[in-house]
Amino acid sequence: MERTRVRRSEFWMGCGFLAPALIIICCFTVIPIITAIYTSFHATNYAVVGEYVGLKNYISVLGKSVGWLNILNSIEYVGLSLLLAVPLGVGIGSLLNRKIRGIAALRTLIIIPWILSQTVTALLWKWLLNGNYGLVTYWVYELTGSKIDLFSNVWTAKFLVVVANVWNSLPIIIILTIAALQTISPELIEAAKVDGAGRGKIYKSIVLPLIRPTIGTAIVMQSIEYFNMVTLLYVLTSGGPFNQTQTLSLAAYQNGFDYWHMDVAAAYSIVIFLLNIVFSLFYVRILKGNDN
C-alpha cells in the first residue's frame, strides 16, 4: 500500500515537471496542426474560415501543374543541394581534421556562413549577382563587354539558389565530419600504415566506413532543413523566374502571407507536414541503424 502511494506521488510529480513543456508543445505544435487541418478543408476569406469545401484546396495543390511543379522544384532543390554540400562538406572536413599551423583559426572562419541568417545570406548573394550593380556581373562585364542577369534565366537561377544554400549550410556538415573523424582511434590508422596501406586505401577502407553513420545523419538532417526552407528562396528569387524556383514551403508561405489564400496555404502545409513525417521516420530508422 505504501509502495503504491509512493509510485502515485512520483507519477504526479513527474506530470508536474512535464506539464510546462507539454503545454508549450500543445500551444505551438498540436493546436496549429489541428487548425491547419481544419482550415485546409474549408474556404477562407483572408483569415476568416468559411464553408466546408472538402478536397478542393488539396486539388489546387496537387491537382494542377503548378502544384506538381513546386514538388519537382523541391526535389531538385534538395537533391542538388545535397549533391554539392555532402561531398564538399566531407572533403573539407577531412582536410580541416589535420594538425597544421593555423587550423583553429581556419575552422573558425569556415563557420561564418553558417552563423549568418538566411536573410543576410540571400541579400549578400543577391548583391553579388545583381544584373545592374553586382560585383560578379561587373567582372563579367569587364571581361566580355556585355551585361548579364543571372536570375532571369531559369537554369542559372535554379543553380544559384542551390549555390547560396550550400554556402550557407556547408559548415554544419564540415563540423559533423570533423567530430566523427576525431572519434577514430589513431592506433587503428597506425596499424593500417604498418600493414602497408596508403592514405587513399586507409581513407576508403577505414575512415569512410567509420564516419558513414554521421554522413547519413547529416544527409537526413539537411534534407529536412532544405525541404522546409523559405527565407533564402523568398529573399533571393521569390520563386522566379516563372515559378521555377518556387518550392512547396515557399508556395505555402506566399499563398498564406502574400496572397492571403489561407485555405490553400493550409493544404500546402499539411502536404509538407506529411512529407516531413516520412523524412522523420527515415531519420529515426537511420539513427537506429547507427546504434546497432
Side-chain angles (χ1 to χ4, degrees):
M1 185 70 179
E2 184 67 25
R3 187 176 298 175
T4 302
R5 188 176 300 171
V6 170
R7 287 179 178 176
R8 286 180 179 175
S9 176
E10 291 177 349
F11 172 78
W12 288 113
M13 184 180 295
C15 290
F17 283 123
L18 287 174
L22 293 174
I23 291 172
I24 292 173
I25 292 172
C26 184
C27 291
F28 293 99
T29 303
V30 177
I31 293 177
I33 290 173
I34 294 173
T35 303
I37 294 173
Y38 177 80
T39 305
S40 68
F41 289 103
H42 293 76
T44 59
N45 183 15
Y46 290 94
V48 179
V49 179
E51 62 179 347
Y52 175 79
V53 294
L55 297 175
K56 180 181 177 181
N57 295 321
Y58 289 95
I59 293 173
S60 298
V61 173
L62 300 175
K64 295 181 179 180
S65 59
V66 175
W68 288 104
L69 176 62
N70 294 334
I71 294 175
L72 180 61
N73 289 338
S74 298
I75 295 172
E76 287 181 349
Y77 181 69
V78 173
L80 289 174
S81 296
L82 291 175
L83 196 62
L84 284 177
V86 175
L88 281 174
V90 174
I92 296 173
S94 300
L95 292 174
L96 293 178
N97 190 51
R98 298 182 179 183
K99 294 181 179 180
I100 57 177
R101 182 177 296 180
I103 193 66
L106 191 57
R107 288 176 182 173
T108 303
L109 290 174
I110 208 76
I111 296 174
I112 290 177
W114 185 42
I115 63 177
L116 295 177
S117 69
Q118 291 181 23
T119 302
V120 173
T121 299
L123 290 173
L124 173 64
W125 281 88
K126 198 170 185 178
W127 171 74
L128 287 171
L129 301 170
N130 186 279
N132 294 319
Y133 53 80
L135 185 62
V136 173
T137 51
Y138 171 75
W139 288 341
V140 173
Y141 175 75
E142 288 293 311
L143 291 172
T144 64
S146 59
K147 287 187 175 182
I148 58 170
D149 187 358
L150 297 171
F151 288 114
S152 65
N153 180 276
V154 171
W155 298 108
T156 55
K158 283 187 174 185
F159 178 71
L160 289 174
V161 294
V162 169
V163 170
N165 178 36
V166 170
W167 182 82
N168 181 247
S169 59
L170 185 64
I172 183 61
I173 301 177
I174 295 174
I175 292 170
L176 290 173
T177 300
I178 294 174
L181 289 170
Q182 291 183 351
T183 63
I184 299 175
S185 173
E187 288 78 8
L188 186 63
I189 305 298
E190 290 300 323
K193 289 180 179 178
V194 170
D195 291 338
R199 284 187 178 182
K201 184 68 174 178
I202 292 173
Y203 192 82
K204 180 181 178 181
S205 302
I206 298 176
V207 175
L208 275 181
L210 289 175
I211 66 172
R212 186 177 291 121
T214 301
I215 296 173
T217 301
I219 289 173
V220 178
M221 288 174 57
Q222 293 308 109
S223 297
I224 296 173
E225 180 183 353
Y226 296 159
F227 189 77
N228 294 322
M229 191 170 288
V230 173
T231 307
L232 183 71
L233 292 167
Y234 184 76
V235 176
L236 199 55
T237 64
S238 295
F242 311 113
N243 296 327
Q244 293 298 314
T245 60
Q246 187 182 61
T247 60
L248 283 171
S249 298
L250 180 58
Y253 179 87
Q254 288 178 322
N255 274 279
F257 298 101
D258 286 351
Y259 314 136
W260 283 96
H261 298 158
M262 301 301 294
D263 45 1
V264 177
Y268 267 112
S269 67
I270 297 304
V271 172
I272 295 168
F273 173 67
L274 294 175
L275 290 173
N276 277 328
I277 289 177
V278 174
F279 278 127
S280 299
L281 291 174
F282 185 53
Y283 180 46
V284 170
R285 185 174 180 181
I286 284 184
L287 289 180
K288 286 185 178 179
N290 293 346
D291 293 336
N292 294 334

